Amino acid sequence: MPALGGFLWLISYWLIGEVVIHFTGLPISSGVIGMLLLCATLAVRGRVPTSIAAAAQPLIALLAMLIMPGVVGVFFIIGELAGQWTAILIALVLGTLLSVLTTLWLLKRLIGQPHVR
Amino acid sequence: MSADIPLLTLLTTTPLFAVGLTLAAYLLGSGLFQRLKRPSWLPAILIAALLLAGALALIGLPYATYQQGATWLTVLLGPATVALGMPLYQQLPRIVELWRPLAICLPIAATLAACYSLAIAWLLGSTDTILASIAAKSVTAPIAIGITEQLGGTTALLLGALLVTGVITIPCVSLASRWLHIEDDRLIGFALGLNGHAIGTVRAFEISPTAGAFASLGMSLTGIFTAVLLPLAWRLIGMGG
């Protein structure tokens, strides 16, 4: 079972993240620390071991399902946030449009015309 | 038949009921999504979440009870976040190739992705908890959940904000790229991933593999950048205690 070995690696990196946070007090989630550590390890080894790929690929494919229990929660707090929804929606929609425009404009300036300079 | 224990109470004594419900809603939602010819404005996750919420309301299962059972699934978010280190490693050559423009663009764009919405919400008088919950709106869910817990926001509201942001990013990118006359798949993909996290990335893969690769790059980099800097910035402004 290579996937099981890979899964153990993923769990271990997450636990290492917890330990790092405990001792440093960094305000980052242990998943992110584990992710960076995994990326660094793979870069040092120069390849992705079969076991890690076997565990990581199905987990990434299932991400949408793993966040679903949380997504459903939003329907149950609608009542609590009564009166706040318009502000939240305007902020999200308008903010996203502005941010997309800025991103694309910046990228066009920086990458779009590589021969200008 | 024993009448002293209601059937629902009996079933919910095991987390398997919540897990089974989640799996069923997910599979049904994905199937319906395929049947509807993959509409970009209605992602599979939204269909599945609506089905699940409907089912919970129908059988009268309190969300807290469901959530408790579903912990058996959500605990996997930890290792799943770590797993994102693999695609990140696989994209390292592309990052190195374009490191200069990306290094300039990413911090500005990722910061603004959070700041625009925060500023608008703040101007409209939203509470600190709401601000903390929508701050990570452009970050991929597993990372964003961690950030929001750090900031003291509500996970449910964050996930709602993620859904709205991801869905709205798609028409925004097609509009903006038309206004700015951009046809480069690399740019469109990067913007989709940076602003619209996983939902934008799925859309980018429908445009082209190049757009998809740049979208996952934009998504991972925004996730890391925001995860590292947002909680620090939040602490500096003195919000969230």
Side-chain angles (χ1 to χ4, degrees):
Chain A
M1 279 295 273
L4 217 51
F7 191 56
L8 181 58
W9 275 108
L10 297 180
I11 293 179
S12 308
Y13 272 102
W14 189 86
L15 292 172
I16 293 171
E18 285 283 284
V19 173
V20 170
I21 290 171
H22 179 78
F23 284 110
T24 59
L26 280 174
I28 309 171
S29 78
S30 40
V32 174
I33 295 180
M35 175 177 76
L36 294 175
L37 283 176
L38 178 66
C39 181
T41 313
L42 295 176
V44 169
R45 295 190 60 169
R47 64 182 189 88
V48 181
T50 333
S51 63
I52 289 186
Q57 257 152 9
L59 265 182
I60 293 173
L62 282 180
L63 269 178
M65 192 188 70
L66 298 181
I67 63 165
M68 243 178 62
V71 172
V72 172
V74 82
F75 298 112
F76 294 88
I77 56 160
I78 287 177
E80 288 169 39
L81 292 168
Q84 302 266 16
W85 275 110
T86 351
I88 298 175
L89 278 178
I90 292 175
L92 290 176
V93 173
L94 203 63
T96 304
L97 179 62
L98 286 172
S99 141
V100 165
L101 268 172
T102 320
T103 312
L104 281 172
W105 180 80
L106 262 175
L107 283 170
K108 195 182 174 188
R109 291 295 301 269
L110 293 166
I111 307 178
Q113 298 112 328
H115 306 296
V116 171
R117 268 186 292 181
Chain B
M1 241 197 197
S2 66
D4 38 347
I5 307 172
L7 182 62
L8 189 63
T9 316
L10 185 77
L11 285 177
T12 48
T13 48
T14 152
L16 282 178
F17 186 65
V19 172
L21 227 91
T22 314
L23 289 183
Y26 177 71
L27 290 175
L28 213 66
S30 312
L32 222 62
F33 179 66
Q34 299 289 353
R35 188 67 65 83
L36 293 169
K37 301 198 173 72
R38 316 172 69 87
S40 59
W41 51 272
L42 186 64
I45 172 108
L46 182 54
I47 307 178
L50 283 169
L51 285 174
L52 190 53
L56 292 183
L58 204 69
I59 57 176
L61 182 63
Y63 177 66
T65 314
Y66 161 76
Q67 200 183 21
Q68 210 173 7
T71 314
W72 286 71
L73 283 176
T74 46
V75 74
L76 288 174
L77 269 176
T81 315
V82 176
L84 291 174
M86 185 183 74
L88 186 65
Y89 159 71
Q90 288 163 336
Q91 284 156 11
L92 275 181
R94 281 202 198 86
I95 305 179
V96 173
E97 206 174 274
L98 282 175
W99 75 271
R100 238 189 68 154
L102 292 183
I104 303 170
C105 174
L106 186 97
I108 305 174
T111 307
L112 288 177
C115 286
Y116 282 134
S117 288
L118 281 178
I120 297 169
W122 183 74
L123 285 174
L124 292 174
S126 293
T127 62
D128 286 1
T129 317
I130 292 183
L131 293 181
S133 311
I134 66 168
K137 71 171 187 70
S138 283
V139 177
T140 181
I143 301 179
I145 291 172
I147 298 176
T148 307
E149 280 167 1
Q150 298 279 353
L151 303 185
T154 320
T155 310
L157 181 52
L158 160 80
L159 291 165
L162 283 181
L163 201 64
V164 173
T165 306
V167 173
I168 203 74
T169 297
I170 297 164
C172 282
V173 167
S174 45
L175 262 179
S177 56
R178 211 175 303 153
W179 288 342
L180 295 167
H181 308 289
I182 293 174
E183 278 162 15
D184 190 334
D185 278 1
R186 295 180 304 173
L187 273 56
I188 292 176
F190 196 73
L192 275 170
L194 193 152
N195 293 289
H197 52 93
I199 300 177
T201 304
V202 169
R203 171 72 195 140
F205 272 111
E206 289 171 8
I207 298 175
S208 75
T210 314
F214 271 81
S216 16
L217 182 63
M219 178 178 80
S220 331
L221 292 180
T222 307
I224 298 164
F225 178 82
T226 316
V228 174
L229 286 184
L230 189 61
L232 285 172
W234 211 259
R235 196 181 274 184
L236 280 179
I237 323 169
M239 291 188 62

PDB file of all heavy atoms in Angstrom, chain B residues 112-139:
ATOM      1  N   LEU B 112      -4.062  43.421  -2.631  1.00  0.00           N
ATOM      2  CA  LEU B 112      -5.240  44.175  -3.052  1.00  0.00           C
ATOM      3  C   LEU B 112      -6.484  43.294  -3.078  1.00  0.00           C
ATOM      4  O   LEU B 112      -7.579  43.761  -2.777  1.00  0.00           O
ATOM      5  CB  LEU B 112      -4.999  44.797  -4.431  1.00  0.00           C
ATOM      6  CG  LEU B 112      -4.025  45.974  -4.421  1.00  0.00           C
ATOM      7  CD1 LEU B 112      -3.782  46.484  -5.828  1.00  0.00           C
ATOM      8  CD2 LEU B 112      -4.556  47.102  -3.544  1.00  0.00           C
ATOM      9  N   ALA B 113      -6.306  42.000  -3.440  1.00  0.00           N
ATOM     10  CA  ALA B 113      -7.456  41.090  -3.478  1.00  0.00           C
ATOM     11  C   ALA B 113      -8.163  41.098  -2.126  1.00  0.00           C
ATOM     12  O   ALA B 113      -9.385  41.059  -2.057  1.00  0.00           O
ATOM     13  CB  ALA B 113      -7.001  39.672  -3.839  1.00  0.00           C
ATOM     14  N   ALA B 114      -7.378  41.157  -1.045  1.00  0.00           N
ATOM     15  CA  ALA B 114      -7.977  41.212   0.293  1.00  0.00           C
ATOM     16  C   ALA B 114      -8.431  42.628   0.634  1.00  0.00           C
ATOM     17  O   ALA B 114      -9.518  42.830   1.159  1.00  0.00           O
ATOM     18  CB  ALA B 114      -6.979  40.704   1.333  1.00  0.00           C
ATOM     19  N   CYS B 115      -7.578  43.630   0.287  1.00  0.00           N
ATOM     20  CA  CYS B 115      -7.826  45.001   0.754  1.00  0.00           C
ATOM     21  C   CYS B 115      -9.059  45.655   0.141  1.00  0.00           C
ATOM     22  O   CYS B 115      -9.807  46.325   0.845  1.00  0.00           O
ATOM     23  CB  CYS B 115      -6.605  45.879   0.505  1.00  0.00           C
ATOM     24  SG  CYS B 115      -5.293  45.514   1.664  1.00  0.00           S
ATOM     25  N   TYR B 116      -9.278  45.492  -1.165  1.00  0.00           N
ATOM     26  CA  TYR B 116     -10.451  46.114  -1.795  1.00  0.00           C
ATOM     27  C   TYR B 116     -11.723  45.743  -1.045  1.00  0.00           C
ATOM     28  O   TYR B 116     -12.494  46.599  -0.627  1.00  0.00           O
ATOM     29  CB  TYR B 116     -10.592  45.651  -3.255  1.00  0.00           C
ATOM     30  CG  TYR B 116      -9.665  46.308  -4.241  1.00  0.00           C
ATOM     31  CD1 TYR B 116      -8.973  45.545  -5.177  1.00  0.00           C
ATOM     32  CD2 TYR B 116      -9.507  47.689  -4.272  1.00  0.00           C
ATOM     33  CE1 TYR B 116      -8.131  46.137  -6.112  1.00  0.00           C
ATOM     34  CE2 TYR B 116      -8.664  48.288  -5.195  1.00  0.00           C
ATOM     35  CZ  TYR B 116      -7.979  47.501  -6.117  1.00  0.00           C
ATOM     36  OH  TYR B 116      -7.155  48.073  -7.034  1.00  0.00           O
ATOM     37  N   SER B 117     -11.935  44.422  -0.880  1.00  0.00           N
ATOM     38  CA  SER B 117     -13.176  43.969  -0.253  1.00  0.00           C
ATOM     39  C   SER B 117     -13.242  44.393   1.208  1.00  0.00           C
ATOM     40  O   SER B 117     -14.303  44.788   1.705  1.00  0.00           O
ATOM     41  CB  SER B 117     -13.302  42.456  -0.352  1.00  0.00           C
ATOM     42  OG  SER B 117     -13.585  42.105  -1.675  1.00  0.00           O
ATOM     43  N   LEU B 118     -12.084  44.310   1.908  1.00  0.00           N
ATOM     44  CA  LEU B 118     -12.059  44.713   3.316  1.00  0.00           C
ATOM     45  C   LEU B 118     -12.424  46.186   3.442  1.00  0.00           C
ATOM     46  O   LEU B 118     -13.219  46.568   4.304  1.00  0.00           O
ATOM     47  CB  LEU B 118     -10.668  44.467   3.909  1.00  0.00           C
ATOM     48  CG  LEU B 118     -10.363  43.030   4.293  1.00  0.00           C
ATOM     49  CD1 LEU B 118      -8.943  42.912   4.814  1.00  0.00           C
ATOM     50  CD2 LEU B 118     -11.346  42.550   5.355  1.00  0.00           C
ATOM     51  N   ALA B 119     -11.844  47.030   2.544  1.00  0.00           N
ATOM     52  CA  ALA B 119     -12.109  48.463   2.610  1.00  0.00           C
ATOM     53  C   ALA B 119     -13.587  48.740   2.353  1.00  0.00           C
ATOM     54  O   ALA B 119     -14.218  49.514   3.076  1.00  0.00           O
ATOM     55  CB  ALA B 119     -11.237  49.201   1.601  1.00  0.00           C
ATOM     56  N   ILE B 120     -14.153  48.084   1.327  1.00  0.00           N
ATOM     57  CA  ILE B 120     -15.561  48.313   1.004  1.00  0.00           C
ATOM     58  C   ILE B 120     -16.449  47.868   2.167  1.00  0.00           C
ATOM     59  O   ILE B 120     -17.340  48.596   2.607  1.00  0.00           O
ATOM     60  CB  ILE B 120     -15.952  47.588  -0.300  1.00  0.00           C
ATOM     61  CG1 ILE B 120     -15.140  48.153  -1.471  1.00  0.00           C
ATOM     62  CG2 ILE B 120     -17.441  47.750  -0.582  1.00  0.00           C
ATOM     63  CD1 ILE B 120     -15.253  47.348  -2.744  1.00  0.00           C
ATOM     64  N   ALA B 121     -16.169  46.667   2.703  1.00  0.00           N
ATOM     65  CA  ALA B 121     -16.978  46.157   3.808  1.00  0.00           C
ATOM     66  C   ALA B 121     -16.862  47.064   5.027  1.00  0.00           C
ATOM     67  O   ALA B 121     -17.844  47.334   5.723  1.00  0.00           O
ATOM     68  CB  ALA B 121     -16.552  44.734   4.173  1.00  0.00           C
ATOM     69  N   TRP B 122     -15.640  47.564   5.274  1.00  0.00           N
ATOM     70  CA  TRP B 122     -15.413  48.451   6.425  1.00  0.00           C
ATOM     71  C   TRP B 122     -16.187  49.761   6.251  1.00  0.00           C
ATOM     72  O   TRP B 122     -16.837  50.244   7.171  1.00  0.00           O
ATOM     73  CB  TRP B 122     -13.912  48.719   6.550  1.00  0.00           C
ATOM     74  CG  TRP B 122     -13.553  49.544   7.733  1.00  0.00           C
ATOM     75  CD1 TRP B 122     -13.543  49.144   9.035  1.00  0.00           C
ATOM     76  CD2 TRP B 122     -13.157  50.927   7.719  1.00  0.00           C
ATOM     77  NE1 TRP B 122     -13.162  50.196   9.837  1.00  0.00           N
ATOM     78  CE2 TRP B 122     -12.913  51.291   9.061  1.00  0.00           C
ATOM     79  CE3 TRP B 122     -12.966  51.871   6.713  1.00  0.00           C
ATOM     80  CZ2 TRP B 122     -12.512  52.580   9.409  1.00  0.00           C
ATOM     81  CZ3 TRP B 122     -12.558  53.153   7.051  1.00  0.00           C
ATOM     82  CH2 TRP B 122     -12.345  53.497   8.394  1.00  0.00           C
ATOM     83  N   LEU B 123     -16.141  50.315   5.013  1.00  0.00           N
ATOM     84  CA  LEU B 123     -16.876  51.547   4.732  1.00  0.00           C
ATOM     85  C   LEU B 123     -18.379  51.347   4.915  1.00  0.00           C
ATOM     86  O   LEU B 123     -19.085  52.256   5.335  1.00  0.00           O
ATOM     87  CB  LEU B 123     -16.597  52.019   3.300  1.00  0.00           C
ATOM     88  CG  LEU B 123     -15.222  52.650   3.076  1.00  0.00           C
ATOM     89  CD1 LEU B 123     -15.009  52.950   1.604  1.00  0.00           C
ATOM     90  CD2 LEU B 123     -15.094  53.931   3.902  1.00  0.00           C
ATOM     91  N   LEU B 124     -18.858  50.132   4.588  1.00  0.00           N
ATOM     92  CA  LEU B 124     -20.287  49.858   4.710  1.00  0.00           C
ATOM     93  C   LEU B 124     -20.651  49.467   6.142  1.00  0.00           C
ATOM     94  O   LEU B 124     -21.778  49.080   6.412  1.00  0.00           O
ATOM     95  CB  LEU B 124     -20.699  48.759   3.734  1.00  0.00           C
ATOM     96  CG  LEU B 124     -20.634  49.135   2.246  1.00  0.00           C
ATOM     97  CD1 LEU B 124     -20.926  47.938   1.369  1.00  0.00           C
ATOM     98  CD2 LEU B 124     -21.597  50.273   1.927  1.00  0.00           C
ATOM     99  N   GLY B 125     -19.670  49.527   7.047  1.00  0.00           N
ATOM    100  CA  GLY B 125     -19.963  49.338   8.467  1.00  0.00           C
ATOM    101  C   GLY B 125     -20.017  47.903   8.954  1.00  0.00           C
ATOM    102  O   GLY B 125     -20.730  47.607   9.905  1.00  0.00           O
ATOM    103  N   SER B 126     -19.258  46.991   8.312  1.00  0.00           N
ATOM    104  CA  SER B 126     -19.266  45.600   8.774  1.00  0.00           C
ATOM    105  C   SER B 126     -18.490  45.458  10.080  1.00  0.00           C
ATOM    106  O   SER B 126     -17.562  46.224  10.348  1.00  0.00           O
ATOM    107  CB  SER B 126     -18.643  44.695   7.716  1.00  0.00           C
ATOM    108  OG  SER B 126     -19.459  44.668   6.584  1.00  0.00           O
ATOM    109  N   THR B 127     -18.879  44.466  10.876  1.00  0.00           N
ATOM    110  CA  THR B 127     -18.210  44.249  12.161  1.00  0.00           C
ATOM    111  C   THR B 127     -16.834  43.609  11.966  1.00  0.00           C
ATOM    112  O   THR B 127     -16.526  43.092  10.890  1.00  0.00           O
ATOM    113  CB  THR B 127     -19.036  43.302  13.044  1.00  0.00           C
ATOM    114  OG1 THR B 127     -19.121  42.050  12.364  1.00  0.00           O
ATOM    115  CG2 THR B 127     -20.428  43.822  13.271  1.00  0.00           C
ATOM    116  N   ASP B 128     -16.020  43.639  13.037  1.00  0.00           N
ATOM    117  CA  ASP B 128     -14.680  43.059  12.982  1.00  0.00           C
ATOM    118  C   ASP B 128     -14.716  41.581  12.633  1.00  0.00           C
ATOM    119  O   ASP B 128     -13.863  41.079  11.905  1.00  0.00           O
ATOM    120  CB  ASP B 128     -13.974  43.239  14.333  1.00  0.00           C
ATOM    121  CG  ASP B 128     -13.540  44.678  14.546  1.00  0.00           C
ATOM    122  OD1 ASP B 128     -13.813  45.502  13.648  1.00  0.00           O
ATOM    123  OD2 ASP B 128     -12.944  44.969  15.595  1.00  0.00           O
ATOM    124  N   THR B 129     -15.717  40.869  13.173  1.00  0.00           N
ATOM    125  CA  THR B 129     -15.807  39.428  12.902  1.00  0.00           C
ATOM    126  C   THR B 129     -16.048  39.188  11.409  1.00  0.00           C
ATOM    127  O   THR B 129     -15.458  38.283  10.815  1.00  0.00           O
ATOM    128  CB  THR B 129     -16.972  38.796  13.693  1.00  0.00           C
ATOM    129  OG1 THR B 129     -16.937  39.329  15.011  1.00  0.00           O
ATOM    130  CG2 THR B 129     -16.876  37.307  13.713  1.00  0.00           C
ATOM    131  N   ILE B 130     -16.911  40.001  10.825  1.00  0.00           N
ATOM    132  CA  ILE B 130     -17.176  39.838   9.389  1.00  0.00           C
ATOM    133  C   ILE B 130     -15.916  40.140   8.596  1.00  0.00           C
ATOM    134  O   ILE B 130     -15.549  39.400   7.683  1.00  0.00           O
ATOM    135  CB  ILE B 130     -18.360  40.734   8.958  1.00  0.00           C
ATOM    136  CG1 ILE B 130     -19.638  40.213   9.597  1.00  0.00           C
ATOM    137  CG2 ILE B 130     -18.464  40.780   7.441  1.00  0.00           C
ATOM    138  CD1 ILE B 130     -20.882  40.948   9.209  1.00  0.00           C
ATOM    139  N   LEU B 131     -15.230  41.214   8.951  1.00  0.00           N
ATOM    140  CA  LEU B 131     -13.983  41.560   8.246  1.00  0.00           C
ATOM    141  C   LEU B 131     -12.994  40.396   8.341  1.00  0.00           C
ATOM    142  O   LEU B 131     -12.376  40.011   7.351  1.00  0.00           O
ATOM    143  CB  LEU B 131     -13.372  42.833   8.836  1.00  0.00           C
ATOM    144  CG  LEU B 131     -14.168  44.127   8.623  1.00  0.00           C
ATOM    145  CD1 LEU B 131     -13.433  45.302   9.242  1.00  0.00           C
ATOM    146  CD2 LEU B 131     -14.414  44.387   7.146  1.00  0.00           C
ATOM    147  N   ALA B 132     -12.857  39.816   9.548  1.00  0.00           N
ATOM    148  CA  ALA B 132     -11.932  38.698   9.734  1.00  0.00           C
ATOM    149  C   ALA B 132     -12.365  37.486   8.923  1.00  0.00           C
ATOM    150  O   ALA B 132     -11.532  36.696   8.479  1.00  0.00           O
ATOM    151  CB  ALA B 132     -11.836  38.337  11.211  1.00  0.00           C
ATOM    152  N   SER B 133     -13.670  37.341   8.712  1.00  0.00           N
ATOM    153  CA  SER B 133     -14.163  36.172   7.994  1.00  0.00           C
ATOM    154  C   SER B 133     -14.002  36.287   6.487  1.00  0.00           C
ATOM    155  O   SER B 133     -13.894  35.278   5.797  1.00  0.00           O
ATOM    156  CB  SER B 133     -15.645  35.939   8.299  1.00  0.00           C
ATOM    157  OG  SER B 133     -15.874  35.970   9.678  1.00  0.00           O
ATOM    158  N   ILE B 134     -14.013  37.531   5.940  1.00  0.00           N
ATOM    159  CA  ILE B 134     -13.911  37.653   4.485  1.00  0.00           C
ATOM    160  C   ILE B 134     -12.504  38.033   4.025  1.00  0.00           C
ATOM    161  O   ILE B 134     -12.245  38.105   2.831  1.00  0.00           O
ATOM    162  CB  ILE B 134     -14.940  38.660   3.900  1.00  0.00           C
ATOM    163  CG1 ILE B 134     -14.651  40.083   4.360  1.00  0.00           C
ATOM    164  CG2 ILE B 134     -16.357  38.260   4.261  1.00  0.00           C
ATOM    165  CD1 ILE B 134     -15.449  41.116   3.587  1.00  0.00           C
ATOM    166  N   ALA B 135     -11.581  38.257   4.969  1.00  0.00           N
ATOM    167  CA  ALA B 135     -10.241  38.716   4.596  1.00  0.00           C
ATOM    168  C   ALA B 135      -9.546  37.729   3.669  1.00  0.00           C
ATOM    169  O   ALA B 135      -8.852  38.118   2.736  1.00  0.00           O
ATOM    170  CB  ALA B 135      -9.402  38.954   5.847  1.00  0.00           C
ATOM    171  N   ALA B 136      -9.749  36.433   3.886  1.00  0.00           N
ATOM    172  CA  ALA B 136      -9.037  35.418   3.099  1.00  0.00           C
ATOM    173  C   ALA B 136      -9.873  34.945   1.914  1.00  0.00           C
ATOM    174  O   ALA B 136      -9.709  33.834   1.441  1.00  0.00           O
ATOM    175  CB  ALA B 136      -8.668  34.244   3.991  1.00  0.00           C
ATOM    176  N   LYS B 137     -10.734  35.813   1.384  1.00  0.00           N
ATOM    177  CA  LYS B 137     -11.716  35.393   0.385  1.00  0.00           C
ATOM    178  C   LYS B 137     -11.114  34.895  -0.924  1.00  0.00           C
ATOM    179  O   LYS B 137     -11.791  34.204  -1.683  1.00  0.00           O
ATOM    180  CB  LYS B 137     -12.654  36.558   0.069  1.00  0.00           C
ATOM    181  CG  LYS B 137     -11.957  37.660  -0.718  1.00  0.00           C
ATOM    182  CD  LYS B 137     -12.929  38.697  -1.198  1.00  0.00           C
ATOM    183  CE  LYS B 137     -12.286  39.701  -2.112  1.00  0.00           C
ATOM    184  NZ  LYS B 137     -11.892  39.199  -3.436  1.00  0.00           N
ATOM    185  N   SER B 138      -9.860  35.256  -1.221  1.00  0.00           N
ATOM    186  CA  SER B 138      -9.271  34.809  -2.487  1.00  0.00           C
ATOM    187  C   SER B 138      -8.312  33.638  -2.289  1.00  0.00           C
ATOM    188  O   SER B 138      -7.596  33.269  -3.207  1.00  0.00           O
ATOM    189  CB  SER B 138      -8.541  35.967  -3.176  1.00  0.00           C
ATOM    190  OG  SER B 138      -9.479  36.820  -3.777  1.00  0.00           O
ATOM    191  N   VAL B 139      -8.286  33.080  -1.086  1.00  0.00           N
ATOM    192  CA  VAL B 139      -7.331  32.016  -0.771  1.00  0.00           C
ATOM    193  C   VAL B 139      -8.045  30.662  -0.843  1.00  0.00           C
ATOM    194  O   VAL B 139      -9.207  30.541  -0.465  1.00  0.00           O
ATOM    195  CB  VAL B 139      -6.745  32.240   0.634  1.00  0.00           C
ATOM    196  CG1 VAL B 139      -5.812  31.116   1.007  1.00  0.00           C
ATOM    197  CG2 VAL B 139      -6.036  33.574   0.685  1.00  0.00           C
TER     198      VAL B 139
END
